[in-house]
């Protein structure tokens, strides 16, 4: 059986076909333009492929409440044309298959716990650090949605005393995303992160903020593992620095065997940047199962 997987990102959209074991059979990437153009490309790809169901993970905020009249909508995004857009409804009407839906970062988290190194872990947090910062949470084996979905990237931060950068977030200035996203790094230091690999002060400050976020997550959610993915985390030196910050900032307050083994507690994504699209396959598999019952 072939499943459709669709990852709609702020800049690019990935369409793929895959099987339940996570194998990707065919995949294309298109720029996310205005909704009309993008949806038409998406439908062109999936039409006549005989998919049994489609899993969609999207940038947000999105409405995940199945009782809501705007379930499946992208809601308040500033991205032109996509505000209050019925993503799931439009696609389901055209393809006429069951559609599973979640946030982009929940898609990545689902990929990691279904097919990756964190397979079958019951309590995991996934943070993506790139153009924006997002986070997903699985507790007792279930994705947390609550009233909307977590927005971990916008947690408020204690600013490092010598950091005079005001922050990039249009809503909060110096939240985690405002201080530590790719665009924040570029604006603070005047160069893109890729060009700053050798500058230790850049990554020490980045590790201070990401470490602080991890500490907040340990204290609030008590996860058994924290996965850090996204473009900024391709700076692999960050992992050791973040682990050190977490130890320092926790200051011995939480002591568990899992935290002692920090290399296996704070880990990189394990699916070669396919975690998102593989998570969409899982969303499709689950959508089909739910439809049958
Ligand atoms: Zn913010």
């Amino acid at each position: 059986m072939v499943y459709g997987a669709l990852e709609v990102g702020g800049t690019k959209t990935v369409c793929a076909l895959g099987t339940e074991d996570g194998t990707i059979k065919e995949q294309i990437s298109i720029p996310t333009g205005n909704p009309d153009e993008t949806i038409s490309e998406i439908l062109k790809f999936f039409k006549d492929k005989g998919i049994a169901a489609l899993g969609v993970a999207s940038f947000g905020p999105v409405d995940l409440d199945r009782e809501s009249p705007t379930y499946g909508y992208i809601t308040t995004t500033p991205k032109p044309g996509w505000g209050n857009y019925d993503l799931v409804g439009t696609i389901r009407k055209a393809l006429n298959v069951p559609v599973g839906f979640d946030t982009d970062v929940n898609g990545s988290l689902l990929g990691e716990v279904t097919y990756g190194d964190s397979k079958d872990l019951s309590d995991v947090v996934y943070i993506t650090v790139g153009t924006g910062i997002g986070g997903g949470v699985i507790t007792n084996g279930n994705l947390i949605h609550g009233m909307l979905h977590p927005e971990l990237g916008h947690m408020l931060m204690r600013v490092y005393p010598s950091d005079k950068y005001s922050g990039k977030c249009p809503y909060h200035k110096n939240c985690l995303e405002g201080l530590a996203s790719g665009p924040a790094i570029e604006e603070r230091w005047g160069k893109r992160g890729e060009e700053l690999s050798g500058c230790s002060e850049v990554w020490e400050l980045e590790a201070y903020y990401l470490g602080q976020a991890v500490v907040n997550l340990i204290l609030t959610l008590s996860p058994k593992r924290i996965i850090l993915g996204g473009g900024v985390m391709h700076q692999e030196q960050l992992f050791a620095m973040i682990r050190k910050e977490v130890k320092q900032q926790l200051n011995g307050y939480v002591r568990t065997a899992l935290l002692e083994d920090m290399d296996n507690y704070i880990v990189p994504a394990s699916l070669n940047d396919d975690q998102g699209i593989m998570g969409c396959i899982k969303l499709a598999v689950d959508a089909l199962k739910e439809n049958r019952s």
Side-chain angles (χ1 to χ4, degrees):
M1 199 172 289
V2 176
Y3 295 91
L6 172 64
E7 197 180 12
V8 185
T11 50
K12 69 166 188 174
T13 290
V14 178
C15 305
L17 303 176
T19 48
E20 187 167 0
D21 64 359
T23 308
I24 295 165
K25 302 282 187 194
E26 192 182 331
Q27 180 168 331
I28 62 160
S29 178
I30 53 176
T32 309
N34 69 48
D36 285 350
E37 283 167 15
T38 311
I39 294 292
S40 135
E41 289 285 316
I42 290 168
L43 296 178
K44 203 165 86 188
F45 177 83
F46 287 112
K47 206 168 68 103
D48 304 327
K49 295 275 169 51
I51 57 172
L54 178 70
V56 182
S58 172
F59 73 91
V62 292
D63 188 345
L64 300 174
D65 176 1
R66 290 183 199 203
E67 305 301 314
S68 159
T70 52
Y71 168 75
Y73 279 54
I74 295 175
T75 57
T76 54
T77 180
K79 195 170 165 57
W82 290 93
N84 205 30
Y85 184 78
D86 183 7
L87 180 63
V88 169
T90 307
I91 292 174
R92 185 162 37 204
K93 206 169 140 198
L95 295 177
N96 200 23
V97 291
V99 177
F101 182 53
D102 219 310
T103 63
D104 46 5
V105 68
N106 276 348
S108 296
L109 172 55
L110 209 50
E112 287 288 335
V113 298
T114 310
Y115 305 113
D117 285 352
S118 298
K119 201 170 174 178
D120 302 327
L121 277 185
S122 59
D123 299 84
V124 184
V125 173
Y126 185 102
I127 306 285
T128 182
V129 189
T131 311
I133 299 185
V137 182
I138 283 185
T139 295
N140 287 332
N142 293 309
L143 283 167
I144 290 189
H145 293 137
M147 66 170 179
L148 177 71
H149 45 77
E151 283 285 357
L152 302 183
H154 292 267
M155 69 170 78
L156 305 181
M157 304 295 286
R158 183 155 67 184
V159 175
Y160 193 76
S162 66
D163 184 11
K164 300 300 175 216
Y165 177 57
S166 61
K168 185 86 180 154
C169 177
Y171 294 91
H172 321 109
K173 301 296 274 184
N174 52 17
C175 63
L176 177 60
E177 179 173 298
L179 292 168
S181 64
I185 294 172
E186 186 175 349
E187 192 169 79
R188 180 193 284 110
W189 301 98
K191 279 183 187 172
R192 292 173 57 79
E194 299 94 302
E195 300 168 64
L196 295 162
S197 297
C199 303
S200 59
E201 72 267 32
V202 171
W203 307 109
E204 276 161 22
L205 189 62
E206 184 72 5
Y208 170 81
Y209 289 125
L210 293 174
Q212 188 183 147
V214 167
V215 166
N216 288 337
L217 294 167
I218 292 170
L219 296 173
T220 50
L221 297 167
S222 192
K224 292 176 180 165
R225 177 173 283 173
I226 295 178
I227 305 169
L228 301 172
V232 171
M233 296 314 301
H234 289 159
Q235 299 286 333
E236 288 172 14
Q237 73 273 25
L238 270 174
F239 283 91
M241 296 163 99
I242 291 167
R243 291 175 188 127
K244 195 172 141 206
E245 279 292 340
V246 169
K247 264 187 201 154
Q248 265 172 13
Q249 294 186 32
L250 266 181
N251 200 22
Y253 185 66
V254 179
R255 288 171 193 265
T256 66
L258 288 177
L259 268 183
E260 288 297 312
D261 186 12
M262 198 61 97
D263 289 357
N264 284 309
Y265 187 76
I266 298 169
V267 301
S270 68
L271 295 167
N272 299 319
D273 289 334
D274 280 336
Q275 55 273 17
I277 200 71
M278 290 170 81
C280 294
I281 296 175
K282 173 67 171 155
L283 285 171
V285 170
D286 290 347
L288 183 65
K289 279 181 188 153
E290 279 172 31
N291 235 49
R292 277 180 178 165
S293 61

